[in-house]
Amino acid sequence: MEGITERPTPAAYPDPETAEHVTYNPSLEALREYSADLETTTEFGAPAYTSEYRSRSADRTANAVDDSFDDADVSVFEQGLDWVRNPENDVICVDRVVGRHPDSSYVCRLFLPKEYGRIALSWAKLLEPSAGVDPDFVTVQLPDARDTPKIRVLPDAGLTTVLGSDYTGEAKKSFLRLFMLRAKQQGGLGLHAGSKRVTLDENGGRDVGQLFLGLSGTGKSTLTSHGLWLDDPEGVEMLQDDVCALLPSGTVAGSEGGGLYIKTIGLDADEQPELHGAATDDSAVLENVAVDDDGTVHFDEPRYGRNARAVVRRDHLESAADDVDLESVDQVFFITRNPLMPPVARLSTEQAAVAFMLGESVETSAGDPSRVGESIRVVGTNPFIVGSEGEEGNRFRDLIDDLDVECYVINTGVVGTDDPADVGVEETVAILEGVARGSIDWEHDDALGLTVPGDVPGIDVDRFSVPDRVENFEAARGELREERLAYLEEFDDLDDGISDAVY
C-alpha cells in the first residue's frame, strides 16, 4: 500500500493551501453554489437538501481501539488518501475549530468532493473558522464510493474516513467522537449532553449550571434551550445542545460554537419558538425536511423519514450565550422515556453512575430507523464512546463525586403502563425550575427504591404515582431490576459498587 502506513497521521494528507486541485476554505456562499443543482430553496430563502442516507451508519462504523483492523479496514484510509491526493479530483477542504476552551480545542479538517459542498456548508455553520493551522483531526468523506457504507476511525491519529454515505451527521460526529475521546484521555469525560446556565435572583443572585444527557430525539435540545418561563432579571442561557467535555476542574467545555443540528419533525412555533424561528431563517440549512417545489416547508411531515434536520445558527437563538463553556456544573439530568420511572428522581452518586451506564431511552430515527420507539440502553446515552464503556461509568462516578454534582433522572414521556399519565412541558419545566431553586420537597419511595418529590410547586405529583399506574407493579419492577442487573454484568471493567446500586 504505497503512500500509507498502517497508522497514517494528518500529515499524510496534502497541504490544502498549496495543492492546486484543492479549494481551501471556500466561502459559505461558494459551498452552497457547489450543490446548487441539489438545492430546493425554501420559502424563507434557506437551502434544503435531500440525502440518500438519512441517519448514521452505526453498524458500519469501526475504530481501531475497540475493533480489530485488518487490511480491508486499512484500505479504507488508503482509498480516502489516494482520492485526496489525486490531482484530477475536484477537492474542497474546510477547516473549523471544535471547542474554545484552551484545554479542549481542536482544529478539524474535512475533505469532500466539490459537488457535496452541501455537507461542508452544514458542518461549517456548526463550528467556528480556522485557517493556516495544522489539523488535529482529519476526515475524508466520499459519498460516491460504491461500497456499502464504511466508516473507519483511527482514534489516536485523529483520522476518520467515510465511504459511501452522504449524511451530514457522519462528518459532524467524526470530529465530536474524537473531541470526547481526548477529554477522557485528559482525565475528564466526553458527554453526549446539552448544557445551560440558569440565573436566579436569589441570595443576591446565583447561577446554576445544568447538563442534560439523552439520545438524539428525546428532548435534549428542547430542554437545553428552554427558558423555563423566567422573567428578567432571571433567565436561562443555552451553551451547548449536543456534545460537551466534563473536565476534572468541573468546567464543562463546549464543542460547537457556530450552530445547532436540530431535529425538525414536530418542530412547533408555539412550543419551541426559538428553534422554530431559527429553522425558518434564511441562515438555516435543511436536510431531509419536507419542502415542496415552491419552497413551502412542512416540519410535521416525515416525507424523507423521521430524522429530518436543520442546522441553525446560534446568533439566531435569543437563549444562546456568547460563550460555550459552563464554568461549573451543579446538576446533571438523565432523560428517559421509561414508563416505570417517575417524572423525576434524585440520585445518589452510585445511582447516578447506574443511570449513566443504563442510558435508558427509546430508539429514535437518528440511530436505527428500523427500531424507532423500541426501548434501548446506550451507555451514557452516547453511541460514540471509544474505549471501555465500564471505565466510562467509573470515571463518571468519580468526577461527580469529586465535584459534588447533584444528579437526577427525568422522564419526558409517560408514567405508567395502565392509564398512563403524560409528563407534559409544563410539568417538566416546573420540575427543572424547582430543582434549580431547591424548592422541591424530597422523600424516599420504598416501592421504587428512589428519592422522589413529595411536593413540586406548580404540579400535582400524586397524579404521577408509578405504582398506581402499573398493574402488578411489584412484578414489573422486579423484572426491570433483573434486566438492569444482567445488562450491567456485561461490563467487566465496571466497579461492583455501581452494580450494587441498581434501583
Side-chain angles (χ1 to χ4, degrees), residues 73-94:
D73 295 300
V74 176
S75 71
V76 171
F77 298 98
E78 181 182 37
Q79 185 173 341
L81 181 57
D82 286 347
W83 181 86
V84 174
R85 286 176 168 174
N86 189 336
E88 296 183 1
N89 292 327
D90 284 329
V91 181
I92 55 173
C93 174
V94 179

Side-chain angles (χ1 to χ4, degrees), residues 343-365:
V344 65
R346 190 173 67 185
L347 305 174
S348 68
T349 297
E350 299 292 338
Q351 286 177 329
V354 169
F356 179 91
M357 290 301 300
L358 291 176
E360 289 181 337
S361 190
V362 294
E363 183 62 88
T364 72
S365 50

